[in-house]
Amino acid sequence: MPSLENAADRVQQGDLEAFREIVQATSDQLVRVAARVIGDMAEAEDVVQESYISAYQALTQGQFDRRSHLPAWLRRIVINRAIDALRSRRRRPRLDDSTEAGWDGSAGIESRMALAELGDWMNELVPEQRVTLVLSVFEGMSNLEIAQAMGCSEGAVEQRLVRARVALRQRSQKNG
Amino acid sequence: MDDESRLIEERLERLKLATEGIQSRSGFEQRVMMAVLQSGAFDWRSGLWRVGRYGLIVSLVAVALATVFAVQGASRADEMQAMSYGTVDLEW
């Protein structure tokens, strides 16, 4: 993604339009990750928006150290924010789905229902387990990539995956 | 893998496929850019300088061209004036 790295350079020089290019190129993927982790579209967009503000500040202050590519760096910010959101979440009443704007067509309805199901199913998982499971199963990331994104060891990733599956299994046994 | 584990993996796979199409909703990009501007993260001075410096460059070029034309115009006027004085001298 050399053009994104180039855009990061331009943001550092105060070019706001370059930041718009970064948002255009990365927002779909970041919102999808956040939505899968949180299980709620509106909350996921809030998390991603806050992440972009942090990223903009970091870029303009020269804090993007380029040890990772820009999309991976942004994803790490979103993951940390999503974990914070899960920790501090106070269950707010869900919006009636039919009133939510921007969900058009059958694909939207299917995604929305699946998201609600996912959020409900994983509700009892510890935030770190939930994020690890989503990154592994849904985003197809390797344990090493997850460890780098979450700032933990590969062993911790494996442990969280095992515990997440055990928790889901216990939940289905309890319900069924 | 027992039945329970298989069911969990199948459910995960189904939900993965069903959420594959999720993307930011329309207007999200504009919302983010507005939030960045309102957050105080955007440095207005550097933004104005960035926009203003192009105006400054154009102004400097315009001033340089105007100076060249003014100097050329003045020397041409001097020559014409000198010629007209010469004509007057001949008539004398």
Side-chain angles (χ1 to χ4, degrees), chain A residues 91-107:
Chain A
R91 293 292 292 179
R92 56 180 182 179
R94 249 177 228 271
L95 285 172
D96 177 7
D97 288 346
S98 61
T99 64
E100 276 194 272
W103 287 93
D104 303 325
S106 57

Side-chain angles (χ1 to χ4, degrees), chain B residues 80-92:
Chain B
M80 288 182 70
Q81 207 170 10
M83 280 171 67
S84 68
Y85 282 136
T87 310
V88 170
D89 282 343
L90 282 173
E91 280 174 3
W92 254 91

Side-chain angles (χ1 to χ4, degrees), chain B residues 6-38:
Chain B
R6 204 188 63 247
L7 284 174
I8 287 173
E9 296 309 317
E10 283 174 1
R11 190 175 180 187
L12 285 170
E13 186 61 28
R14 177 176 61 77
L15 290 173
K16 177 190 169 184
L17 291 174
T19 53
E20 207 69 63
I22 288 175
Q23 54 188 25
S24 53
R25 293 180 287 184
S26 57
F28 178 69
E29 177 198 316
Q30 283 76 15
R31 202 182 104 184
V32 168
M33 297 309 292
M34 283 301 294
V36 168
L37 286 172
Q38 288 169 357

Side-chain angles (χ1 to χ4, degrees), chain B residues 52-68:
Chain B
R53 69 182 173 185
Y54 293 113
L56 187 66
I57 290 167
V58 171
S59 304
L60 287 174
V61 170
V63 167
L65 286 174
T67 306
V68 168

Side-chain angles (χ1 to χ4, degrees), chain A residues 113-173:
Chain A
M113 288 173 67
L115 209 55
E117 183 185 340
L118 184 64
D120 186 51
W121 191 33
M122 295 196 174
N123 204 26
E124 287 171 27
L125 295 185
V126 175
E128 284 80 1
Q129 291 174 1
R130 189 168 169 157
V131 171
T132 308
L133 193 65
V134 165
L135 295 182
S136 173
V137 177
F138 289 70
E139 298 296 323
M141 289 169 66
S142 70
N143 288 1
L144 176 64
E145 287 172 324
I146 296 170
Q148 287 169 344
M150 297 185 73
C152 63
S153 67
E154 280 185 82
V157 171
E158 284 171 27
Q159 199 175 46
R160 285 173 190 169
L161 287 172
V162 170
R163 286 184 179 168
R165 285 187 164 89
V166 168
L168 291 178
R169 193 186 169 102
Q170 283 171 345
R171 186 188 161 140
S172 59
Q173 283 170 347

